[in-house]
Every structure is written in C-alpha cells, then in structure tokens.
C-alpha cells in the first residue's frame, strides 16, 4: 500500500514537472494568467456599474467551470483526458469573459489559442509499463518466433491524434496488471511507420479509428478493437480501461 501511495505521489510530481516545462501547458498557463493584469488595468477605466456586472459574470464563470471540472474529474479515466477537457472549458469561459470586457480582447485570445493549437501538442503519457515499443520488423519477428508469448496484444496509435494522447496512459497501466509469460503487450506508432497501417487494415484517414488494438495468438490475428467497419461507416466507440 505504501508503494502504491509513493507511485501516485511520483506520478503527480512527474505530471506537475511536465506541466511546468512542456510548451503546451506553459503557453496555456501564460495565456490564462495574462487575464489577471488585463483585468487589473481595465478596472481603472471601467465604470462602477460595469465593473460590478463584470465581477458577477466572472463569479458565474468560475462556478460553472468548477462544476464542469468536478464532473469531468469523476468521469474521465486518465489525467490526459481530464486536462484536455479542462483546458477546453477554460478557453470557452475565458473567451466569454473577454467578450464581456471588449470584443477586441476576445479576438486577441482567439488568436493566442489558435497559435498555441498550431505550434504545440498535448504530450502523451511518458510511462511504458510492461509494453514494448516496436517497429514493424520487430513485431513481425516476435509474432513468427515460437519462443515468445502465445498471445500478443498490440496497440496501433498515432500520437498526432488527440484520442491516442488522451488514452496513452491506459495501455501501459493494463500491461503492468496483466502481462505474463503467455500474454505480452506491444505498441506500434503509426505516425512513425504509416505504411504498416494498410498491412493490418487500419485507416489513417479516420482519426476516430485510432488507437486500434489487435490480439494475436501464435502470430495470427484473432480479434481487434474497435472492429473493422467493412461498410466504411464512421464507428463511434467509448474507450475505457
């Protein structure tokens, strides 16, 4: 139990360090907190009635944001998904408040968030658990080698996909729990090896189809999740641990 608590504390410290150093989190932090000096400087030129009205709207925004954050904290399984949703809601509320102050300020924040979105990307979970980061050749060699595990569960992902980033914690954590001599876990990054996607019937044109999980038994595919859609329809699925 003490080990689990220390692991949780270590994960929290790692996450905080990443949030303080990664450009994605750092730029969002600077954008959000830039409202404080803007608000302080604007308070000197705003009329008392409008200042009171603005304060009322700010309180409403903070309460609504806190409620949404609490709901997402309960419903989301990973910190990456929770942080992504929290930042999204924060952008909406900040834009709304800026629009109350002045539409020029709202346009400025829209431009800032567009630049952040263009230049940065949310980092995935850095832990690998008991998974193996594989190239296509390594995967093929492992699947054809009779001396390895009977079952291989392989995650095909592309870290440019927000869904893959937000679920990047799930597979390593599952590998720690279920990895044994008969079941091994592997990861193939289709962003690095896009030609591999066609070989396994994975469409890179549909970001909602990733990540894809394929279970191999003795080198032969026996099932996959989500299942292949032969009618080329957009299939929606809920990714849970």
């Amino acid at each position: 139990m003490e080990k689990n608590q220390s692991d949780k504390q270590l994960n929290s410290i790692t996450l905080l360090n990443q949030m303080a150093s990664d450009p994605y989190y750092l730029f969002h932090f600077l954008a959000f907190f830039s409202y404080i000096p803007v608000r302080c400087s604007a308070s000197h030129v705003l009329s008392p009635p409008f200042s009171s009205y603005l304060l009322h709207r700010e309180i409403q925004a903070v309460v609504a944001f806190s409620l949404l954050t609490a709901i997402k904290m309960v419903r989301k399984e990973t910190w990456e998904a929770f942080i992504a949703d929290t930042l999204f809601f924060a952008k909406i509320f900040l834009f709304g408040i800026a629009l109350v102050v002045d539409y020029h300020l709202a346009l400025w924040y829209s431009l800032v968030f567009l630049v952040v979105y263009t230049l940065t990307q949310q980092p995935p979970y850095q832990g690998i658990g008991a998974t193996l980061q594989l190239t296509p050749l390594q995967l093929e060699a492992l699947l054809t080698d009779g001396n390895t595990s009977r079952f291989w569960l392989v995650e095909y992902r592309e870290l440019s996909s927000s869904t893959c980033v937000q679920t990047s914690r799930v597979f390593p954590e599952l590998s720690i729990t279920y990895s044994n001599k008969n079941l091994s876990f592997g990861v193939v990054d289709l962003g690095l090896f896009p030609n591999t996607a066609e070989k396994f019937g994975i469409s890179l044109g549909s970001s909602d189809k990733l990540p894809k999980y394929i279970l191999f038994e003795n080198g032969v595919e026996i099932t996959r999740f989500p299942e292949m859609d032969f009618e080329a329809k957009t299939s929606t699925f809920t990714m849970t641990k």
Side-chain angles (χ1 to χ4, degrees):
M1 186 172 180
E2 291 181 356
K3 182 180 180 181
N4 291 334
Q5 291 179 348
S6 62
D7 290 341
K8 290 181 179 179
Q9 291 177 353
L10 182 60
N11 290 335
S12 300
I13 295 174
T14 303
L15 182 62
L16 290 175
N17 290 334
Q18 187 179 49
M19 292 179 65
S21 59
D22 189 88
Y24 176 83
Y25 297 119
L26 181 61
F27 289 164
H28 276 91
F29 177 84
L30 294 176
F32 293 137
F33 278 85
S34 67
Y35 179 75
I36 296 178
V38 171
R39 178 68 170 86
C40 293
S41 60
S43 61
H44 299 292
V45 297
L46 298 177
S47 63
F50 186 80
S51 294
S52 178
Y53 171 76
L54 179 59
L55 179 61
H56 180 68
R57 291 301 184 188
E58 289 171 339
I59 294 175
Q60 286 181 328
V62 170
V63 172
F65 174 73
S66 300
L67 289 175
L68 287 173
T69 301
I71 293 173
K72 289 297 181 180
M73 181 176 292
V74 173
R75 297 182 61 181
K76 291 295 182 180
E77 284 193 315
T78 67
W79 277 108
E80 287 74 21
F82 168 72
I83 292 174
D85 286 346
T86 301
L87 292 177
F88 176 73
F89 291 135
K91 293 174 186 177
I92 293 177
F93 285 115
L94 181 58
F95 176 82
I97 292 299
L99 194 61
V100 173
V101 177
D102 186 83
Y103 78 93
H104 292 95
L105 181 62
L107 291 176
W108 170 252
Y109 274 117
S110 299
L111 178 60
V112 169
F113 291 137
L114 179 61
V115 171
V116 172
Y117 174 79
T118 304
L119 298 181
T120 66
Q121 181 183 4
Q122 183 180 7
Y125 176 64
Q126 299 299 319
I128 61 173
T131 64
L132 293 178
Q133 309 295 314
L134 302 172
T135 66
L137 292 178
Q138 290 174 332
L139 175 61
E140 185 176 356
L142 289 173
L143 293 179
T144 56
D145 187 357
N147 296 325
T148 60
S149 300
R150 176 184 176 185
F151 294 97
W152 274 91
L153 182 59
V154 182
E155 178 188 47
Y156 297 86
R157 67 183 185 181
E158 187 178 18
L159 293 181
S160 60
S161 166
S162 60
T163 304
C164 292
V165 171
Q166 294 175 22
T167 59
S168 59
R169 180 184 297 266
V170 173
F171 203 63
E173 291 181 348
L174 289 177
S175 69
I176 295 175
T177 304
Y178 296 105
S179 180
N180 54 55
K181 65 179 181 178
N182 292 318
L183 176 61
S184 298
F185 292 75
V187 176
V188 176
D189 189 347
L190 296 180
L192 299 177
F193 309 101
N195 295 333
T196 307
E198 184 178 357
K199 179 180 179 181
F200 292 96
I202 301 173
S203 174
L204 293 180
S206 302
S207 60
D208 59 325
K209 300 293 183 65
L210 295 176
K212 178 83 70 176
Y213 301 91
I214 300 181
L215 180 64
F216 297 92
E217 181 181 5
N218 295 324
V220 179
E221 176 184 341
I222 58 175
T223 188
R224 64 173 58 195
F225 178 78
E227 295 181 353
M228 185 180 296
D229 186 3
F230 292 99
E231 297 181 358
K233 296 180 180 179
T234 302
S235 61
T236 58
F237 63 95
T238 302
M239 182 67 64
T240 62
K241 185 180 289 187

